Amino acid sequence: MSSRPGPASAGADLARLALTFHHTHQLLDPAAQGVQTWEVRITVADTQVGSLTAVRGLYWKSDNLRERMADEQSFPALVATQLLDEEGRFTYEFEEFIESASSVLVVDGLQLEEAFADPLIVAGVVAAVIDRLTDNYFAVVLPAQNACLGAGSALLAEAGALLSAQEFSDELQIIDNAPAAPEEAAQRVRSRLLSLARHGQPTAWDEEDSEGDGWDEDGEEDEELTARTAAVLRVALEELSEQIWLDIAAVGDAPLGRGEGRVLGSLPPITFHQDQQWRRQMARCFDDLAADLAKNGTVRPGCTGEEMALHLGIDRARALTRNRPRLVAEAVEGLGEDRRDFDWDWCSTVLFEDHDVLMLFDASLDGIEDSGNEINQALGLANLAAADWFDPFRPGQARDPDRGFRHP
């Protein structure tokens, strides 16, 4: 089985791949209750590059699901004869094979242009189809290696293996939607596809090797933010700045607890008893980073406080791209697209010299900020104590101490 796309698919425009689902339901046709046939068209920029067929066999809505699926002919008919008995009931072998399924989704009929004919891409398509057309009570049936239904069948067989399908027979493999393994496999497939779309090569399948994949087309490490990434990160930092200044106005010098306030309560516990002046300096870290992005289109944290602000900013930017698409669209309007846009994992890897400050969230490392702490000394940690958060890493590159604050 090939799990790495070849040169053709690596150069394909994966970021613009889209799926269109077509299904016509005859309102009063009793046969339409038991089986639904969906044509899934695969497009790039509104140009069709492939398709597949997904047949939903709904056990409880069918008079005899075996007869009804057999009437569809081809692969669904083969599935019907292996999974259902003459009375239309699931066979003992099938019920022993899965945890709990009341319906099946049969995926076949794949046709795909050569540039996209790769198991990883097909697995991503199938995972999206599963998300759209099933729930936890579906068994998803794909051709196995010996199904011999053509080139599309072979690709579906390889894609099924990537999605944790289990071989039921020489001709069928099944994804049981009830356990967690298929969804975990689907997430790995999506992650690798995203890496392929951004960098021209997927991350390693081994999750331990998946970090640090910010590489350009020539295999060189690329440390520049794309314009759209910088724009959304700036919006995130400005939003956090607004929130932390509201926190400061509300609490002043008062101590905080975990989760209290909008931003202050999301900092490490060692900061919860800092005074208002410390909190104002923390708020200025968000402002300074946002100003850097506005001026230079890039950002480098110059102190521990800025490192923490940038970590929170990246987390918020990630949330914006998932939950606020309209806001993101406004922020990036007029900016050229890049396949590396919104790669927040890459930002977390490349924009920092280390992630030492994140150890302050680990309760098992309580006291690690103390320069006399054994772990602190062993790892050569510096500037983790709250009092040191705003000391510049490189005094020669320190910010103007007279720059003031956004709010008096």
Side-chain angles (χ1 to χ4, degrees), residues 2-65:
S2 168
S3 62
R4 178 174 291 276
S9 61
D13 193 0
L14 299 181
R16 305 178 75 183
L17 275 176
L19 303 182
T20 305
F21 291 75
H22 292 265
H23 166 67
T24 301
H25 181 82
Q26 297 293 332
L27 185 61
L28 300 181
D29 182 358
Q33 302 301 317
V35 168
Q36 301 173 354
T37 301
W38 293 73
E39 179 194 358
V40 182
R41 299 175 186 172
I42 307 166
T43 63
V44 174
D46 297 325
T47 299
Q48 186 166 337
V49 298
S51 64
L52 59 77
T53 301
V55 176
R56 300 175 86 226
L58 307 175
Y59 181 82
W60 296 110
K61 291 182 178 292
S62 298
D63 179 61
N64 185 313
L65 185 57

Side-chain angles (χ1 to χ4, degrees), residues 63-67 80-81 83-89 91:
D63 179 61
N64 185 313
L65 185 57
R66 174 174 169 140
E67 286 189 353
T81 61
L83 301 190
L84 296 137
D85 63 20
E86 295 288 347
E87 302 299 321
R89 298 183 296 257
T91 65

Side-chain angles (χ1 to χ4, degrees), residues 286-307:
F286 293 96
D287 295 329
D288 286 339
L289 294 177
D292 289 346
L293 286 166
K295 181 179 179 180
N296 305 316
T298 191
V299 65
R300 293 289 174 188
C303 64
T304 301
E306 290 182 8
E307 284 188 332

Side-chain angles (χ1 to χ4, degrees), residues 101-171:
S102 58
S103 297
V104 296
L105 180 74
V106 180
V107 180
D108 74 327
L110 175 69
Q111 298 180 6
L112 201 56
E113 290 186 3
E114 183 179 358
F116 298 91
D118 182 273
L120 182 60
I121 295 173
V122 176
V125 170
V126 171
V129 171
I130 293 172
D131 279 349
R132 174 69 182 272
L133 299 181
T134 73
D135 56 30
N136 287 351
Y137 296 98
F138 270 80
V140 181
V141 187
L142 299 155
Q145 290 287 356
N146 294 328
C148 300
L149 299 175
S153 173
L155 279 170
L156 284 171
E158 294 191 71
L162 291 175
L163 293 170
S164 293
Q166 300 296 312
E167 189 171 286
F168 179 77
S169 69
D170 287 345
E171 297 165 306

